[in-house]
Amino acid sequence: MLEAMLDGWGRQQRARRLDLETISDRRSVVQRFVSFSAEYPWHWSAAHVDEWSAAMLGEQGLAHSTVRAYQGALRLFCDFLTSPHYGWAAECERLFGTHPVQVCHEWNTAAHLVDYEGDPRRRPLTRNELQLLLDYADDQVGEAVRLRRKGALTAYRDATVLKTMYAWGLRPTETSRLDLPDFHRNPQAPELRGFGMVHVRYGKGAKGSGPRRRMVATVMPWAVDALEDYLVNVRPRFRHHAASSAVWLTERGGRLRPREIEARFAEYRDALGLDGALVPHCLRHSHVTHQVEDGVDPKFIQEQVGHRYASTTAIYTGVSTDFMNTMMRKALDRAYQPPERDS
């Protein structure tokens, strides 16, 4: 019965055109709740959710946003089971003498009260930190070549991955899923050749929807040279490169995964002694922050990174002390400027 319920829920979500990965993740959440509660859905109660939530927060130490997402998946499953359109309540009443009820309520689930729920220690890299990271990534390529050891190709690939994430303000998943046809010419910037625009096809969705697409204009020409060099001189050396459209290939010819990007970033971060709270997503924060410091229009930045609301882009922004001091000095100079005398 449980498997039939989960399969039916999966079909309902597919009918809504939700991504298969989203459906699979939600199914896993429900199965974990079944294991935790040791009860089937027709015997669940709000008390089971209370105990589960307390265990996730207290024992497992999961983030507030993660707990909220898990509770949301369970709430959706209960909505499906209790809907009269699918008849699960009536069928359970007939077979078991009881029926499923909604066990996730506003008083026992986490609310989404703030725009940003990530680790508050995460921040943009300073320009100096960014330069150190990219230089170190480039040095690993030279070191591998000098020692004639395996890994020079992957080191070159990963150095280019980090540059691409920063230069276009991409998330790890967006970067991982880039394909060769995603790069386009921009008639307004012919000097960028075939890299004037990047088509991001796997942007972060909202409320369980599928990936959101966006076009990102190239604003850092130096990154074009690095990316083109990788595509022309390095990517063709990977196994099965001709059979794949993926930009970032592994040594076996597969697609580089987000967790591999995260592992390489952590390796370089730790080797340089940088703040342990920094993650690859901080490169996206850095892109936004440095563009703001350089005077780029905030609305343009918002469109570039795919934020629906300007407040979200503002959360990503952490301008440097030098920038703040410069703006403060300009404001004070205007304030203390003597008024113009009438002629």
Side-chain angles (χ1 to χ4, degrees):
M1 177 64 81
L2 175 62
E3 288 298 315
M5 289 174 167
L6 290 169
D7 290 343
W9 187 41
R11 289 191 293 272
Q12 182 237 23
Q13 294 177 89
R14 283 301 292 164
R16 294 170 53 205
R17 301 183 65 184
L18 297 189
D19 189 74
L20 287 174
E21 185 176 355
T22 298
I23 297 172
S24 177
D25 289 345
R26 288 177 174 178
R27 183 184 180 112
S28 296
V29 169
V30 172
Q31 289 172 325
R32 289 198 294 272
F33 183 71
V34 170
S35 298
F36 178 88
S37 65
E39 294 284 1
Y40 289 115
W42 47 93
H43 290 303
W44 288 346
S45 69
H48 290 126
V49 178
D50 295 345
E51 295 171 4
W52 182 51
S53 300
M56 288 191 290
L57 289 168
E59 299 173 14
Q60 301 177 43
L62 299 184
H64 178 94
S65 57
T66 302
V67 173
R68 181 172 54 81
Y70 288 175
Q71 293 170 341
L74 188 63
R75 178 189 286 111
L76 291 173
F77 181 60
C78 290
D79 283 342
F80 169 73
L81 294 184
T82 57
S83 170
H85 299 293
Y86 296 98
W88 287 111
E91 184 67 8
C92 288
E93 189 70 42
R94 183 181 68 84
L95 294 174
F96 311 117
T98 184
H99 58 82
V101 296
Q102 178 58 265
V103 295
C104 295
H105 309 281
E106 62 179 14
W107 61 82
N108 70 342
T109 55
H112 191 177
L113 301 176
V114 296
D115 291 323
Y116 179 68
E117 295 179 325
D119 189 334
R121 297 174 299 166
R122 292 181 184 172
R123 56 170 177 76
L125 283 77
T126 66
R127 293 179 188 263
N128 183 55
E129 289 174 332
L130 177 68
Q131 194 62 56
L132 284 173
L133 179 69
L134 298 184
D135 287 346
Y136 185 82
D138 287 338
D139 289 343
Q140 301 317 295
V141 182
E143 187 69 7
V145 172
R146 184 179 69 82
L147 297 176
R148 297 182 180 180
R149 69 187 185 197
K150 188 178 180 181
L153 290 180
T154 56
Y156 198 109
R157 175 203 64 199
D158 293 341
T160 313
V161 165
L162 298 179
K163 295 171 185 175
T164 299
M165 292 181 66
Y166 168 70
W168 282 276
L170 304 181
R171 300 178 177 93
T173 298
E174 294 171 348
T175 307
S176 168
R177 300 300 294 271
L178 284 176
D179 286 335
L180 296 176
D182 291 334
F183 298 97
H184 305 275
R185 291 185 177 275
N186 186 343
Q188 302 304 315
E191 66 273 21
L192 299 177
R193 302 178 293 284
F195 302 92
M197 300 290 291
V198 177
H199 186 191
V200 177
R201 294 178 294 112
Y202 289 90
K204 183 179 179 181
K207 296 182 179 180
S209 66
R212 286 193 297 173
R213 299 181 177 222
R214 71 179 187 278
M215 295 297 291
V216 181
T218 301
V219 294
M220 299 183 186
W222 60 266
V224 169
D225 296 333
L227 181 59
E228 187 175 42
D229 185 50
Y230 162 79
L231 293 176
V232 172
N233 299 312
V234 178
R235 185 182 178 279
R237 300 188 180 187
F238 280 91
R239 185 184 304 179
H240 307 307
H241 70 92
S244 174
S245 63
V247 171
W248 317 111
L249 297 174
T250 65
E251 292 180 327
R252 296 184 177 182
R255 183 186 295 272
L256 184 70
R257 298 183 180 183
R259 66 171 177 265
E260 294 172 297
I261 297 175
E262 293 165 359
R264 180 69 87 172
F265 180 94
E267 176 189 339
Y268 291 173
R269 175 201 65 203
D270 294 344
L272 290 168
L274 299 178
D275 188 345
L278 296 174
V279 294
H281 197 80
C282 294
L283 292 171
R284 178 171 161 89
H285 288 242
S286 305
H287 173 91
V288 172
T289 294
H290 297 165
Q291 290 289 286
V292 170
E293 291 180 349
D294 290 342
V296 178
D297 185 88
K299 180 61 177 176
F300 174 76
I301 300 173
Q302 178 185 341
E303 294 294 328
Q304 285 276 94
V305 296
H307 289 156
R308 288 187 174 182
Y309 306 106
S311 59
T312 308
T313 307
I315 292 168
Y316 274 58
T317 307
V319 295
S320 67
T321 302
D322 289 342
F323 177 81
M324 293 293 289
N325 287 337
T326 300
M327 293 299 101
M328 178 191 70
R329 187 67 262 167
K330 288 183 177 180
L332 291 175
D333 289 343
R334 287 195 299 269
Y336 283 106
Q337 185 175 5
E340 294 182 2
R341 296 181 178 179
D342 295 333
S343 57

